[in-house]
Amino acid sequence: MKTLTIGAFALATLAASAASAQQAPANPGPVIPGVCSFSGEGIMAGSLAGRAVQARMVQLYQEVQGELQPYVTSLESEAQQLQQSAATLSEADRNTRIQALQTRDRELQQLQQTRANELRYTQAVQAEAINTAAQPIVIAVYQERGCGVLLNDGAVGYINPAMDITATVVQRLDAQLPTLSFNRMPVPAQAQAQN
């Protein structure tokens, strides 16, 4: 039997929340007027809403695993019983039971895929809600700091921390959007057709 296929999702969620630990240079260089940077990952990982989404996604993943585990256990048990009794069954009975087991396995795989898609979609919707709330804040801080260029820190090796507006954006986002409450969301039919 195939194991749960959405385990990678939880790992990706947790990995996305961990900021890459780069060792910064001892002398970050001068502050360049008009040049600022921000970190989208830093906003997601550092904001209250982003951390709430990460925590809730872990809970939803665990709920899905709890939902699917009885199916997995049942199929594994049936497969083991079939293997043990295969020698005593007629070929027709054996083939019938194998086909039934394969059908249930396909149904389980489909359910696993559906739940994995729901989790990905739910996370994307919540990330978009945070991004939508953060965007005007980024623009406001950009203007307040007199930035002429705003770099995404993912595109820059190193930048003077004094030029990074992420902490200010996170602070204001926390005041505006302290948390998000949500449940697993079904993927709309239109979104399913695009996959």
Side-chain angles (χ1 to χ4, degrees):
M1 293 298 120
K2 296 199 179 199
T3 59
L4 297 177
T5 59
I6 57 180
F9 171 79
L11 295 176
T13 300
L14 295 173
S17 69
S20 61
Q22 288 185 355
Q23 187 161 355
N27 177 7
V31 173
I32 302 170
V35 177
C36 302
S37 73
F38 83 103
S39 169
E41 288 180 9
I43 291 170
M44 285 298 291
S47 68
L48 293 172
R51 290 193 305 263
V53 167
Q54 292 167 6
R56 182 66 178 136
M57 290 306 300
V58 169
Q59 290 173 345
L60 292 176
Y61 170 75
Q62 290 169 341
E63 288 175 13
V64 166
Q65 281 213 294
E67 174 190 352
L68 296 176
Q69 191 56 48
Y71 293 106
V72 171
T73 302
S74 172
L75 279 173
E76 288 173 348
S77 175
E78 277 187 53
Q80 188 176 26
Q81 289 173 1
L82 179 58
Q83 186 177 15
Q84 290 172 352
S85 64
T88 63
L89 296 173
S90 70
E91 186 175 338
D93 286 343
R94 187 172 45 250
N95 288 339
T96 301
R97 288 183 63 184
I98 288 172
Q99 287 176 351
L101 191 61
Q102 288 172 339
T103 299
R104 288 193 55 219
D105 185 53
R106 283 190 300 275
E107 290 169 354
L108 173 61
Q109 290 177 30
Q110 180 62 41
L111 182 59
Q112 289 173 325
Q113 186 63 46
T114 298
R115 294 298 181 256
N117 290 341
E118 289 171 350
L119 290 172
R120 278 191 292 277
Y121 178 74
T122 300
Q123 185 175 29
V125 167
Q126 301 313 312
E128 184 58 33
I130 293 171
N131 184 50
T132 299
Q135 193 62 36
I137 297 169
V138 169
I139 291 169
V141 175
Y142 171 88
Q143 292 172 336
E144 290 167 17
R145 292 262 185 108
C147 302
V149 174
L150 182 61
L151 304 171
N152 182 325
D153 78 339
V156 177
Y158 297 105
I159 194 159
N160 187 313
M163 297 162 52
D164 188 354
I165 66 171
T166 304
T168 305
V169 173
V170 167
Q171 182 182 33
R172 292 182 187 179
L173 181 62
D174 286 350
Q176 180 181 325
L177 186 67
T179 191
L180 289 173
S181 297
F182 58 93
N183 289 313
R184 189 177 73 230
M185 302 168 71
V187 180
Q190 181 182 7
Q192 287 178 348
Q194 293 174 354
N195 289 338

